[in-house]
Amino acid sequence: MFIFEKLSAGFLIILFFGITYFMSVFEKLNDWKGTLTYYTNHFKTTFFIKYISPILIGIIIFESVVFILLGISLVTILLNNDLTLGKVGLQLSALILILFLIGQRIVKDYPGAMNLTVYFILNVIGIYLLT
């Protein structure tokens, strides 16, 4: 099967981020109060404090779109060898990670920002492999 001959790394990176975003959305929705409390405390000293709820809703929507794109892309890669949706999904994922990085830097959570770097590097590698 071609997927394991030519695209296994790109396919696995898409799968990894698909699982990551699915779990992120699931956790946020499953424990909405806890998530809201966590982010309220995390951003309490910033101008974001008044907008935590709408920001979280936006994040959930954005992450859901990426999860759906990545999920569909796995099927299109397997059936049609079409990498387009996977690449778009990973590009949107990179934008999410950059937004998260900005948030972490605003609250001066440098270890949190550093942790995002690992995801971002893998994301960029995925985009490169699909190009």
Side-chain angles (χ1 to χ4, degrees):
M1 182 177 236
F2 100 95
I3 190 71
F4 296 110
E5 294 170 4
K6 297 179 183 175
L7 291 174
S8 61
F11 186 87
L12 291 172
I13 290 171
I14 292 170
L15 180 62
F16 174 85
F17 280 104
I19 292 167
T20 299
Y21 285 111
F22 171 76
M23 292 305 299
S24 179
V25 169
F26 178 78
E27 290 169 353
K28 285 178 181 77
L29 292 174
N30 194 44
D31 184 21
W32 176 254
K33 284 185 180 182
T35 301
L36 194 58
T37 300
Y38 172 79
Y39 284 105
T40 300
N41 288 333
H42 195 64
F43 290 100
K44 65 185 172 194
T45 61
T46 71
F47 60 92
F48 288 137
I49 191 66
K50 296 178 183 177
Y51 309 104
I52 296 297
S53 198
I55 288 171
L56 274 176
I57 292 169
I59 288 170
I60 289 169
I61 292 169
F62 203 13
E63 287 182 337
S64 296
V65 167
V66 171
F67 161 69
I68 291 166
L69 274 174
L70 293 175
I72 294 170
S73 77
L74 293 173
V75 175
T76 61
I77 290 171
L78 287 173
L79 297 179
N80 304 326
N81 300 340
D82 185 2
L83 307 174
T84 307
L85 288 178
K87 187 175 176 184
V88 170
L90 289 178
Q91 288 168 337
L92 291 175
S93 171
L95 290 175
I96 290 173
L97 294 171
I98 289 169
L99 292 173
F100 289 168
L101 175 70
I102 291 167
Q104 296 294 64
R105 295 299 303 233
I106 287 172
V107 296
K108 297 181 169 101
D109 181 1
Y110 302 116
M114 186 176 62
N115 289 335
L116 288 170
T117 303
V118 175
Y119 287 96
F120 188 75
I121 290 169
L122 182 60
N123 197 304
V124 171
I125 290 170
I127 293 168
Y128 176 77
L129 291 173
L130 298 178
T131 300

